[in-house]
Amino acid sequence: MKEFLNFINGEYVRGTSGKTFDDINPVDGSLIGRIHEAGQGEVNAAVAAAQAALKGDWGRLAVVERCKLLDAVAGEINRRFDDFLQAEIADTGKPHHLASHVDIPRGAANFQIFIDTIKSTATESFNMRTPDGKTALSYGVRVPRGVIAVVCPWNLPLLLMTWKVGPALACGNTVVVKPSEETPATATLLGEVMNAVGMPKGVYNVVHGFGPGSAGEFLTRHPGVNGITFTGETRTGSAIMKAAADGVRPVSLEMGGKNAAVVFADCDFQVAVDTLTRSCFENAGQVCLGTERVYVERPIFAKLVAALKERAETMKPGLPFDKDTKIGPLISKKHQAKVLGLYQKARDEGATIVTGGGIPDMPEALRGGSWVQPTIWTGLPETATVVTEEIFGPCCHISPFDTEEEVLGKVNANRYGLATAVFTQDIARANRLAHQIEVGLCWINAWFLRDLRTPFGGSKQSGIGREGGVHSLEFYTELRNVMVKF
Ligand SMILES: NC(=O)c1ccc[n+]([C@@H]2O[C@H](COP(=O)([O-])OP(=O)(O)OC[C@H]3O[C@@H](n4cnc5c(N)ncnc54)[C@H](O)[C@@H]3O)[C@@H](O)[C@H]2O)c1
Ligand SMILES: O=S(=O)(O)c1ccc(CO)cc1
């Protein structure tokens, strides 16, 4: 039986309350191990360790030395690639090809990319003449914000955690990470990596637990935390924003979505179908950027529905390490119940079920897992629950449209604004729409294609702030102005 301990000041520690909770494998419902919940005492200790590290060895390091350590972290993740892979797959049940091509390599790359950013980003400077005829030179210096709380979801555990820890450390901060209660493993393992590369104690800390009344709330309310970066549900982000208001701490929030795809009749049909297969069903639809609303220009509507149905039905569920597995389970029984409830709601509201709509027939040994079928609906009005609310499952509603203006109105009529994918060969139209759709990210003839130097984040209720490249520096540093008179 595995034990997932908190990682504080370079050491693995239990919670003094002795409270533990179960880490469950969503493939079959089996017990992976026990997670040791951090109480207020452990959160206090983690924040104190992070504060001390800022004043100690870590705070004294030159940028180039910090970068060497981060490079070593990336190297050590790659050296222990298989350990990370096994840990991530056990927690999430995601197929091996996905974890090995996306989650773990990006977990390592997130430390490397910000080395380049921090080394190559200049600050502004201005010269001016003073009233008494002298000169004043102003220049900016970026200083770390201090202790950053990193609150993470379960869908891409290592990738999304390092997406924040990488730049936070590159900028000279220290971090206290609160992984999702569903996926404690890779954040815990990263503690071993930090020790192996000689990261000063207290730079990277991990506290396990839940949100309200547990480690998440204790951490985000802690007055020693200087900034909070969060990925997760919009409702949680709102609670965290309230917590951050006490003490006026900055927040960076990456939250929910109800992403649309717009498919015009002139698109490269094969590209659209291949891409939608990924954007609707990859990671069992548990990707914040995933598509749950597909709008198709009427002349190709029936053809696209048929093609996507065919592809959905090839998404074979199964064990993560089986070569022909195309889709894993949802993260938990709780999430499965939520998604199946919404599948039922679609039926109640009159959807045509093109495919799926329930639990797949799994072998006996996997029946305790959190499986759901890839599902496609048509025929619902824009007000239907599954067309307006985030599901976070392998499903989409497809509806026809006739004009650009009509589809733009439909895409924008949602409280979220994270990502959109537009499929067309008409580049002028694509750019016109990209400027009008209210989202943080707009792909044209692509999806989840990322250049990590570019801004990532959501509009409307999908987020506040942008991370990625120099935009991460905006959040993880304080820009101070220095003026010298001479
Ligand atoms: N925009 C993005 O980049 C992005 C990326 C991935 C996931 N998401 C969103 O995340 C959601 C799925 O993830 P989830 O279910 O883990 O989200 P969640 O909001 O339930 O939990 C995220 C984290 O917040 C913690 N938490 C919960 N309540 C808290 C509180 N009151 N105070 C402090 N911490 C608290 C949880 O313990 C967990 O670690 C979906 O809505 C999805 O769209 C968004
Ligand atoms: O910018 S990325 O690191 O690629 C990235 C991908 C996905 C998400 C949310 O699911 C966040 C950042």
Side-chain angles (χ1 to χ4, degrees), residues 172-194:
N173 301 284
T174 55
V175 297
V176 182
V177 175
K178 211 301 274 167
S180 167
E181 51 274 36
E182 306 284 359
T183 52
T186 46
T188 310
L189 194 52
L190 193 59
E192 291 181 21
V193 166
M194 296 291 172

Side-chain angles (χ1 to χ4, degrees), residues 151-155 178 181 216 231-233 236 254-256 288 390:
V151 183
C152 307
W154 43 256
N155 59 327
K178 211 301 274 167
E181 51 274 36
T231 305
E233 279 187 28
T236 311
E254 294 178 0
M255 305 189 288
C288 59
E390 181 182 48

